[in-house]
Amino acid sequence: MNFVAEIKVMPLKELLDPQGKAVLGGLANLGIKSITDVRIGKHIQLNLEAASIEEARIIAGEAAKKLLANPVMEEFTILISEPAN
Amino acid sequence: MNFVAEIKVMPLKELLDPQGKAVLGGLANLGIKSITDVRIGKHIQLNLEAASIEEARIIAGEAAKKLLANPVMEEFTILISEPAN
């Protein structure tokens, strides 16, 4: 079956996010003052073949751990969607 | 009230995603063969002050249109979470 895995990779809460701080400054310069904090991470969408949703979750977790997220600086969460067909 | 807006910015479906293709090749080299497609975008988390969830959605949309997403190459979706306090 085909599954879609959405992996959200965000900088750890304990760490400063310089990219987010830069965007926060840019938003203030554009006149959008009501935004108080910005954090920027990656969003990765995987299409994968698996026998079950559990297997899909394991494959996505392996991909995230081995290649997509850097555990020293980032945390990830995985959301698996229903089979597309 | 404080709201959290999660903005997912992804490359348009019609466009090639070279970063995703590179990651797909990397995953295959690592032995993860069951992943058939990868697309990579940005995930942006905004903390913002607004009077209502509708206003929070408008502010987040303005930020996405003015600074966070490039409409020529990217599409975005916004998810607003319940007030944090």
Side-chain angles (χ1 to χ4, degrees):
Chain A
M1 281 192 293
N2 292 319
F3 291 88
V4 174
E6 308 261 351
I7 304 178
K8 181 173 93 168
V9 180
M10 296 299 287
L12 288 173
K13 283 185 189 63
E14 297 77 23
L15 300 179
L16 197 68
D17 174 12
Q19 196 185 1
K21 292 282 172 263
V23 166
L24 184 62
L27 289 168
N29 289 342
L30 287 171
I32 306 176
K33 310 276 191 194
S34 46
I35 294 174
T36 54
D37 193 32
V38 180
R39 292 187 82 78
I40 298 184
K42 286 176 289 187
H43 191 97
I44 299 151
Q45 186 179 312
L46 304 176
N47 292 4
L48 55 85
E49 286 272 336
S52 66
I53 197 162
E54 289 77 20
E55 195 192 323
R57 191 174 296 278
I58 290 167
I59 293 169
E62 201 186 348
K65 277 189 212 120
K66 284 194 180 168
L67 189 65
L68 305 173
N70 171 2
V72 176
M73 299 178 60
E74 295 166 330
E75 60 183 358
F76 64 88
T77 52
I78 297 174
L79 182 78
I80 308 278
S81 313
E82 294 292 304
N85 59 355
Chain B
M1 282 192 292
N2 291 321
F3 291 88
V4 175
E6 309 260 352
I7 304 178
K8 181 172 95 169
V9 180
M10 296 298 288
L12 288 173
K13 284 183 188 65
E14 297 77 23
L15 300 179
L16 198 68
D17 175 12
Q19 196 185 0
K21 292 282 172 265
V23 166
L24 185 62
L27 288 169
N29 289 342
L30 286 171
I32 306 176
K33 310 275 192 197
S34 48
I35 294 174
T36 56
D37 193 31
V38 180
R39 291 188 81 78
I40 299 184
K42 286 176 287 189
H43 191 98
I44 299 151
Q45 186 179 311
L46 305 176
N47 292 3
L48 55 87
E49 286 273 336
S52 65
I53 196 162
E54 288 77 20
E55 195 192 323
R57 191 174 296 278
I58 289 167
I59 295 169
E62 201 186 346
K65 277 189 213 121
K66 284 194 180 167
L67 189 65
L68 305 173
N70 171 2
V72 177
M73 298 178 60
E74 294 166 332
E75 60 184 358
F76 65 88
T77 53
I78 297 175
L79 182 80
I80 308 278
S81 314
E82 293 293 304
N85 59 355

